[in-house]
Amino acid sequence: MTFKLPDLPYAYDALAPYMSAETLTYHHDKHHQAYVDNGNKLIVGSGLEGKSLEEICVAAYAGKNQPLVNNLGQHYNHLHFWKWMKKGGGGNKLPGSVAKLVDGYGGFDKVRADFINAGTTQFGSGWAWLAIRDGKLEVSKTPNGENPLMHGAQPILGVDVWEHSYYIDYRNARPKYLEAWFDNLINWEHVEEMAG
Ligand code: MN3
């Protein structure tokens, strides 16, 4: 299977002012494209050809194939990252199944605070996550291209805290980016889809 870069599910300027067209153009067309191109080269001879992207994430991490973890992990992460955002997103009206998970964790405000804190305290490049482990919501952070699949949990929401995701719009103010992202961009319908 050859992986392909899908188009963004909205126009490049749809998420402004919270995420600019310039950021989305570079992030999608350059960064994500590079993960796809490198991943397609690295998969050859890895023994994981023909596996699903999710299976590759798990197996590459377990097998300590760091280049595959970095590139196809990032392909998985970005495929969902675009869908985890929408114009007019955010807010605290959550779909039923997600609301239940959030309540079980301690409520919306606690999830928001812990998620933003995870993204703020991820040292260097990486991601902050909401994931499901043993039926319960978990907040976590991972370095570089890793994701919760590699750590035995099902990701339902992730935010990219690599500088390429926010530096044009927020410079070094990562917490401001995370707050704006959480409050204005999250597409909770895709979170619900991931929560199954
Ligand atoms: Mn990125």
Side-chain angles (χ1 to χ4, degrees), residues 96-162:
S97 61
V98 180
K100 216 168 171 187
L101 286 163
V102 164
D103 286 347
Y105 182 86
F108 182 85
D109 291 347
K110 180 166 169 56
V111 167
R112 180 184 181 279
D114 287 1
F115 183 83
I116 289 170
N117 184 56
T120 301
T121 57
Q122 168 55 40
F123 186 77
S125 297
W127 293 73
W129 301 98
L130 298 185
I132 301 176
R133 185 187 297 278
D134 301 327
K136 286 189 179 152
L137 191 68
E138 175 181 89
V139 178
S140 65
K141 57 189 175 185
T142 56
N144 303 315
E146 288 178 27
N147 60 50
L149 291 174
M150 301 171 188
H151 300 280
Q154 168 62 39
I156 61 170
L157 178 68
V159 64
D160 191 338
V161 299
W162 287 59

Side-chain angles (χ1 to χ4, degrees), residues 166-167 170-178:
Y166 63 89
Y167 210 81
Y170 301 87
R171 296 301 169 189
N172 62 325
R174 192 192 286 183
K176 269 195 178 149
Y177 155 65
L178 287 166

Side-chain angles (χ1 to χ4, degrees), residues 27 31 35 74 78 81 127 160 162 164-165:
H27 198 174
H31 291 275
Y35 299 133
Q74 284 289 66
H78 286 82
F81 184 60
W127 293 73
D160 191 338
W162 287 59
H164 64 227
S165 194

